[in-house]
Amino acid sequence: MALRTLRSTARAYRTARTTSACFASEPTQKPDQRGYMPPNPAHGTLYPTVQELTEPRTSVLLECNDNPGALHEILKYFWKYDINITHIESRPSKNESFEFFVDFHATPNAATTSALLDNLKKETRRMLVLDARNVPWFPRHVSDLDVVANRILDAGTDLESDHPGFNDPVYRERRVGLAENAMNHRFGNPIPHISYSEDELATWKAVYERLETLLSSYACSEYLKILPMMKQHCGYSADNIPHGGSS
């Protein structure tokens, strides 16, 4: 079988219509200057490359009838105008319809983009071109935290003079140890167990018991729903500070 590398999903779709083939993106294994690191392909998801994030992009919201082949009828226009889709999400809507959020490489005022949008408008119940968004980088997979941990954790050198622990050498030493544990951890490895002191456990207990008296009045319904499961499965209690790995 001959393998071909295609530069867009539109070309892949066109080729797949006439041949039996399988297409996959080749992930970049090195982080970029912002600290972005693609996840393990075994997770089944590949995130945008640096090139995808910097090219012109348009986003649309499409509402379609909930019929077999509805998505195919939309995608064929991206193939027709050779426009590459970078991201697509779907969710059920009211009135027996589905909504699709689609990001694609295109300049909004380009002729091919206008032609595409005209066809999509005819093919859907509703089409909305979304405003351009300048979204800062953020972790999209837990493994991304391995790359940025050293940017958000500090061992104590950044403490301001008015910080309660500024002149406390015991606190500063403890802060160093906890920060190093977090920065040295890598996704997929066992989460290290922290041995908390009696003073730390007593502080946790005092705060825990005080907050428990306030939950019924101030906690959201989602928190109240999940709290029993946290107690059952995560060792969440007044006498134990829970760990990610084990209680």
Side-chain angles (χ1 to χ4, degrees), residues 4-6 8 11-17 19-25:
R4 299 174 57 190
T5 300
L6 302 176
S8 71
R11 290 185 181 276
Y13 175 82
R14 181 183 301 168
T15 305
R17 288 171 59 90
T19 62
S20 297
C22 178
F23 299 88
S25 299

Side-chain angles (χ1 to χ4, degrees), residues 7 27 36 38 54 64 89 95 109-110 116 142 153-155 171 179 197 204 209 225 229 236 241-242 247:
R7 68 175 179 83
Y36 169 75
T54 55
C64 308
E89 294 182 16
N95 305 320
N109 56 0
L116 169 68
V142 64
L153 296 170
D154 190 271
Y171 168 82
S197 67
W204 168 268
E209 292 179 343
K225 180 180 179 181
M229 288 183 275
Y236 201 77
I241 301 177
S247 60

Side-chain angles (χ1 to χ4, degrees), residues 197-210:
S197 67
E198 292 184 5
D199 286 341
E200 289 170 333
L201 291 171
T203 301
W204 168 268
K205 181 180 179 70
V207 174
Y208 184 100
E209 292 179 343
R210 176 69 179 111

Side-chain angles (χ1 to χ4, degrees), residues 32-59:
D32 62 25
Q33 67 273 18
R34 298 162 302 170
Y36 169 75
M37 175 73 77
N40 189 321
H43 299 147
T45 303
L46 293 176
Y47 301 142
T49 63
V50 174
Q51 181 182 9
E52 289 174 332
L53 291 172
T54 55
E55 289 185 355
R57 179 175 301 186
T58 300
S59 301

Side-chain angles (χ1 to χ4, degrees), residues 28-202:
T28 302
Q29 296 301 326
K30 296 181 180 180
D32 62 25
Q33 67 273 18
R34 298 162 302 170
Y36 169 75
M37 175 73 77
N40 189 321
H43 299 147
T45 303
L46 293 176
Y47 301 142
T49 63
V50 174
Q51 181 182 9
E52 289 174 332
L53 291 172
T54 55
E55 289 185 355
R57 179 175 301 186
T58 300
S59 301
V60 294
L61 169 62
L62 307 170
E63 183 179 356
C64 308
N65 292 324
D66 186 10
N67 297 326
L71 181 58
H72 175 272
E73 292 301 310
I74 293 173
L75 295 180
K76 70 181 182 182
Y77 292 107
F78 291 90
W79 159 70
K80 179 178 180 180
Y81 296 105
D82 197 21
I83 293 177
N84 189 35
I85 295 175
T86 59
H87 184 79
I88 184 169
E89 294 182 16
S90 65
R91 69 180 183 189
S93 183
K94 299 178 181 179
N95 305 320
E96 297 183 349
S97 65
F98 249 81
E99 290 183 345
F100 294 96
F101 296 86
V102 186
D103 287 350
F104 52 93
H105 283 163
T107 303
N109 56 0
T112 52
T113 308
S114 298
L116 169 68
L117 297 178
D118 287 343
N119 280 279
L120 292 178
K121 189 173 183 179
K122 296 175 183 177
E123 198 69 46
T124 59
R125 286 188 177 186
R126 178 172 63 103
M127 185 194 75
L128 177 65
V129 179
L130 305 177
D131 293 336
R133 294 164 293 173
N134 184 18
V135 181
W137 181 91
F138 63 93
R140 300 179 64 178
H141 186 269
V142 64
S143 61
D144 293 347
L145 298 178
D146 293 345
V147 181
V148 300
N150 61 341
R151 301 184 184 184
I152 59 177
L153 296 170
D154 190 271
T157 56
D158 66 334
L159 291 184
E160 300 291 340
S161 60
D162 59 349
H163 190 282
F166 182 79
N167 293 313
D168 185 345
V170 176
Y171 168 82
R172 296 180 75 107
E173 182 180 359
R174 183 60 165 160
R175 181 182 171 110
V176 168
L178 294 175
E180 287 181 349
N181 258 310
M183 288 189 287
N184 293 333
H185 177 70
R186 292 294 177 267
F187 174 72
N189 294 335
I191 297 176
H193 184 88
I194 306 297
S195 296
Y196 291 103
S197 67
E198 292 184 5
D199 286 341
E200 289 170 333
L201 291 171

